[in-house]
């Protein structure tokens, strides 16, 4: 989910990046006034990681029980920053590969590989994949942040281009690679381009469904737990109506079409994939999150800019040194970046940014899947997902919606609850790293 539109504000010079000390002080001041509170460690930026705290990860939570040792997680994304100090300690280059080729639309030479031997092509030139990877398994090393499973192994499965597009062939290749290498879990924070919804009555879209479905089944048969972001369109996936953005490539070719019958978001709605919605720091469904009984299995922290003042409603984690950050990028304009110049990547300071999305929620679940596999290596993918669901924190329907809907509450989605305690907003509930981490 990498191409959400950004508001731009060019009225003033952008603020300089925060230092880790300044960022941590601001987080302590803000979160200490909220029911969440703040983490006291183990890393310098831990006070900013409210997302770990609400999932009972971090110090005082799952770190005391299980840190993901022995589990390997594949990040099917835009790559990983190979030299980021919070990524590198847990990165397995041997298990990493770029599936982006010279024929992949929108790709750039720096990511185009002709074989998995070219490990330099795994490098993340977008930033999204590094943020996801850090959330899953950022290392405990005294440098800034840590992840849900800080001792798990990361495999960069580079399937998204620097522009944030995920086309069918790289995604299929990444899933097959994960199956062949018996990777424990993969995170998929994207939909397969160029269609948000793929409809079975169209031959090309039907072919996309079939290709990714087969690859997903192949990976599942070889033990791969598959976790996906539900999406950022605010859709009820049980009752979709229209798709206004597809096809999103070539740029400008999208039209509004009916998707009420036989249309699927891929990979989120495939049989072997468990999808997550997202909450902000008020523990409410984020205003942009997709939801639905059929496909949303659980929820996790992905942020909501309307549930806390800038930047504290979003999720802070690692960002790639080779990702372009223009002067008018909202991350820059709105002061949502941290640079650690005591730890350099060549001539660049180590980067961290605050962003939001279901893309940020699913890696929390994938990190928990790594904890489960660490404690129980023989569990099937279905058993891993069942354990995460069974140990999730049950959430009731909120009394009021995300504050983003305060101006017009009639536009807010309707929360529904089943007798089992599940809701269409949160599935079985908020993932609980501590409860799931034990044997």
């Amino acid at each position: 989910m990498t191409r959400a539109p950004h508001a731009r504000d060019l009225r003033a010079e952008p603020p300089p990046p925060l230092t880790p000390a300044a960022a941590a002080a601001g987080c302590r001041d803000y979160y200490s006034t909220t029911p969440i509170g703040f983490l006291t460690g183990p890393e310098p930026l831990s006070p900013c990681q409210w997302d770990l705290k609400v999932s009972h990860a971090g110090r005082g939570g799952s770190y005391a029980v299980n840190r993901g040792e022995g589990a390997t997680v594949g990040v099917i994304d835009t790559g990983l920053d190979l030299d980021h100090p919070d990524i590198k300690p847990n990165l397995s280059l041997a298990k990493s590969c770029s599936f982006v080729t010279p024929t992949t639309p929108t790709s750039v030479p720096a990511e185009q590989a002709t074989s998995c031997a070219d490990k330099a092509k795994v490098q993340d030139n977008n930033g999204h994949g590094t943020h996801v990877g850090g959330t899953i398994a950022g290392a405990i090393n005294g440098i800034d942040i840590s992840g849900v499973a800080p001792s798990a192994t990361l495999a960069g499965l580079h399937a998204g281009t620097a522009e944030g597009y995920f086309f069918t062939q790289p995604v299929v290749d990444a899933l097959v690679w994960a199956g062949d290498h018996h990777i424990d879990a993969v995170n998929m924070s994207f939909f397969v381009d160029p269609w948000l919804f793929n409809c079975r009555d169209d031959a090309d879209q039907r072919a996309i469904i079939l290709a990714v479905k087969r690859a997903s089944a192949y990976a599942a048969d070889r033990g791969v737990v598959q976790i996906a972001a539900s999406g950022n369109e605010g859709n009820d996936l049980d009752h979709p109506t229209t798709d206004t953005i597809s096809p999103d490539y070539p740029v400008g070719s999208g039209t509004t079409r009916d998707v009420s019958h036989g249309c699927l978001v891929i990979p989120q709605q495939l049989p072997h994939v468990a999808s997550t919605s997202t909450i902000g720091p008020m523990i409410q469904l984020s205003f942009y999150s997709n939801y639905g009984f059929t496909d949303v299995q659980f929820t996790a922290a992905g942020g909501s800019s309307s549930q806390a003042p800038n930047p504290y409603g979003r999720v802070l984690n690692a960002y790639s040194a080779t990702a372009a950050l223009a002067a008018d990028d909202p991350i820059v304009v709105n002061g949502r970046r941290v640079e650690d110049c005591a730890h350099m990547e060549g001539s660049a300071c180590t980067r961290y940014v605050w962003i939001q999305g279901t893309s940020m929620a699913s890696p929390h679940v994938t990190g928990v899947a790594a904890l489960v596999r660490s404690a129980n290596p023989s569990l099937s993918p279905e058993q891993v997902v069942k354990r995460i669901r069974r140990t999730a924190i049950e959430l009731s329907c909120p009394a009021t919606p995300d504050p983003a809907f305060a101006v017009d509450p009639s536009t807010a989605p309707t929360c529904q609850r089943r007798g089992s305690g599940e809701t269409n907003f949160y599935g079985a509930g908020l993932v609980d790293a501590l409860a799931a981490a034990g044997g």
Side-chain angles (χ1 to χ4, degrees):
M1 312 299 166
T2 63
R3 299 184 302 282
H6 295 302
R8 296 190 174 189
D9 185 352
L10 303 180
R11 292 172 295 181
E13 286 295 315
L18 294 170
T19 65
C27 292
R28 283 191 295 269
D29 288 347
Y30 175 73
Y31 293 118
S32 64
T33 67
T34 73
I36 293 175
F38 60 87
L39 287 174
T40 56
E43 301 291 74
L45 286 173
S46 290
C48 297
Q49 294 193 272
W50 67 271
D51 50 304
L52 295 188
K53 196 165 192 300
V54 300
S55 297
H56 297 159
R59 179 180 287 175
S62 58
Y63 285 4
V65 176
N66 182 342
R67 298 185 180 186
E69 295 90 344
T72 299
V73 178
V75 182
I76 303 181
D77 215 291
T78 60
L80 292 171
D81 186 340
L82 305 182
D83 292 316
H84 195 290
D86 280 312
I87 298 293
K88 190 173 184 178
N90 289 334
L91 177 63
S92 170
L93 278 177
K95 295 180 180 179
S96 299
C97 180
S98 178
F99 306 98
V100 177
T101 72
T103 63
T104 304
T106 77
S107 64
V108 298
E111 61 192 348
Q112 295 167 353
T114 56
S115 81
C116 284
D118 193 351
K119 301 301 182 181
K121 304 299 187 181
V122 176
Q123 178 64 26
D124 179 12
N125 294 296
N126 177 281
H128 188 271
T130 299
H131 198 281
V132 167
T135 301
I136 295 169
I140 296 176
N141 56 1
I143 303 174
D144 300 320
I145 59 91
S146 55
V148 175
S151 296
T153 297
L154 286 170
L157 306 184
H158 190 160
T161 70
E163 290 191 24
Y165 287 87
F166 291 76
F167 292 101
T168 304
Q169 194 60 54
V171 172
V172 166
D173 292 344
L175 284 167
V176 170
W177 172 276
D180 286 342
H181 291 79
H182 300 285
I183 286 174
D184 289 289
V186 294
N187 187 86
M188 298 183 286
S189 291
F190 57 85
F191 64 85
V192 176
D193 295 291
W195 304 94
L196 172 59
F197 285 88
N198 289 271
C199 299
R200 294 185 180 93
D201 60 2
D202 179 276
D204 289 341
Q205 294 166 52
R206 188 166 62 248
I208 292 172
I209 296 172
L210 182 59
V212 183
K213 184 177 181 180
R214 284 176 172 170
S216 174
Y218 181 88
D221 285 346
R222 285 150 183 80
V224 182
V225 182
Q226 298 168 58
I227 306 297
S230 66
N232 301 336
E233 295 76 35
N235 286 328
D236 179 354
L237 295 176
D238 291 334
H239 307 286
T241 56
T242 57
D243 176 2
T244 62
I245 69 171
S246 300
D248 63 1
Y249 182 82
V251 175
S253 58
T255 61
T256 298
R257 62 189 181 124
D258 174 42
V259 293
S260 58
H261 301 290
C263 301
L264 299 175
V265 183
I266 303 296
Q268 290 85 332
Q269 294 185 283
L270 292 177
H272 298 289
V273 178
S275 179
T276 182
S277 64
T278 186
I279 58 165
M282 293 175 66
I283 321 298
Q284 290 180 304
L285 186 77
S286 303
F287 63 91
Y288 54 81
S289 180
N290 288 349
Y291 57 96
F293 277 121
T294 304
D295 298 294
V296 170
Q297 300 290 313
F298 18 60
T299 197
S304 170
S305 55
S306 57
Q307 292 185 29
N310 181 66
Y312 304 117
R314 295 172 171 85
V315 174
L316 179 66
N317 216 284
Y319 207 68
S320 178
T322 57
L325 274 179
D328 62 346
D329 190 298
I331 291 172
V332 176
V333 171
N334 297 316
R336 299 201 301 265
R337 56 183 173 144
V338 179
E339 291 190 357
D340 183 350
C341 297
H343 299 93
M344 304 291 288
E345 291 190 60
S347 61
C349 300
T350 298
R351 285 177 171 178
Y352 304 85
V353 302
W354 277 278
I355 50 182
Q356 66 184 0
T358 56
S359 287
M360 286 61 256
S362 60
H364 290 87
V365 183
T366 309
V368 173
L371 300 180
V372 175
R373 268 290 172 77
S374 174
N376 306 275
S378 64
L379 290 185
S380 69
E382 293 79 9
Q383 289 170 323
V384 172
V385 171
K386 285 180 180 178
R387 181 171 180 85
I388 299 172
R389 285 172 53 80
R390 186 174 68 250
T391 58
I393 303 163
E394 187 176 307
L395 296 179
S396 301
C397 286
T400 58
D402 186 298
F405 297 104
V407 174
D408 187 359
S410 67
T411 62
T414 300
C415 183
Q416 298 176 333
R417 184 181 178 88
R418 286 177 172 165
S420 62
E422 292 192 24
T423 69
N424 61 334
F425 277 14
Y426 311 123
L430 173 60
V431 294
D432 188 328
L434 177 58

